[in-house]
């Protein structure tokens, strides 16, 4: 079983971390969050590759400009001393995406979505297993989520868990 990802919007980090207490995150049935199930789409690399395609720029690790907001307090200085029951070990983890990434996604013209999904499906991280149609459907929903977040003055977040 791989990592699970859910993208959602919230006014700020304080509001966003409330999802950490909800089993299954923001995309479970009957969730009150405005969210999109990201399946295996991590924010830094796979989503970052999409942002690079949209901007027609080379991908780099900071492209999405994410900041971990849960667990609080920043990354542990000594991973070997982190207790087994620490949220750093057990998850979930919540990352705030940078506003430029949100705006890039919100600004995608609907006419470009099919082409972007087809090109995105060919990135090496998908290992030729990505279905362009499924990525197109995800991208359509993500673009709409990003537009709603931008219109409301909110940020995009990624919830992840193992």
């Amino acid at each position: 079983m791989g990592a699970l990802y859910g993208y959602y919007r919230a006014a700020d980090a304080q509001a966003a971390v409330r999802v950490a207490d909800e089993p299954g995150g923001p995309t479970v049935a009957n969730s009150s969050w405005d969210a999109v199930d990201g399946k295996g789409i991590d924010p830094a690399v796979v989503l970052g590759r999409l942002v690079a395609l949209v901007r027609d720029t080379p991908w780099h690790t900071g492209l999405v400009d994410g900041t971990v907001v849960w667990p609080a307090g920043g990354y542990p200085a000594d991973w070997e001393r982190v207790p087994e029951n620490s949220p750093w070990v057990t998850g979930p983890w919540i990352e705030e995406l940078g506003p430029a990434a949100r705006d890039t996604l919100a600004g995608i013209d609907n006419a470009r979505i099919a082409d972007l999904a087809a090109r995105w499906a060919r990135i090496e991280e998908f290992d030729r297993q990505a279905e362009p149609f499924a990525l197109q459907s995800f991208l359509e929903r993500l673009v709409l989520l990003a537009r709603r977040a931008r219109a409301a003055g909110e940020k995009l977040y990624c919830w992840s868990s193992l």
Side-chain angles (χ1 to χ4, degrees):
M1 180 177 193
L4 303 174
Y5 298 94
Y7 291 88
Y8 64 106
R9 65 188 181 106
D12 55 31
Q14 183 178 358
V17 299
R18 283 184 272 205
V19 78
D21 295 329
E22 297 182 26
T27 62
V28 296
N30 301 318
S31 172
S32 62
W33 296 94
D34 185 6
V36 174
D37 185 352
K39 300 195 189 313
I41 300 173
D42 75 281
V45 179
V46 178
L47 188 67
R49 296 264 186 210
L50 171 64
V51 170
L53 285 171
V54 174
R55 293 180 185 168
D56 195 25
T57 189
W59 173 84
H60 59 85
T61 57
L63 199 57
V64 173
D65 193 26
T67 303
V68 174
V69 297
W70 179 259
Y75 289 105
D78 185 355
W79 285 97
E80 291 184 18
R81 294 184 184 264
V82 175
E84 287 184 26
N85 64 347
S86 165
W88 282 105
V89 175
T90 62
W93 305 276
I94 299 171
E95 183 172 341
E96 181 180 295
L97 307 185
R102 178 205 59 199
D103 293 347
T104 295
L105 295 168
I108 295 173
D109 187 300
N110 291 344
R112 291 187 66 199
I113 291 177
D115 177 61
L116 283 169
R119 292 172 50 210
W120 190 30
R122 295 191 299 263
I123 66 171
E124 65 183 280
E125 288 78 11
F126 284 135
D127 195 28
R128 299 181 193 178
Q129 296 177 18
E131 169 58 46
F133 182 76
L135 285 179
Q136 180 177 339
S137 175
F138 167 76
L139 184 53
E140 288 167 349
R141 290 178 282 125
L142 185 63
V143 165
L144 291 173
L145 177 69
R147 288 176 184 165
R148 291 189 298 271
R150 182 176 63 182
E154 295 177 332
K155 299 176 181 181
L156 285 181
Y157 293 86
C158 179
W159 171 94
S160 61
S161 181
L162 296 177

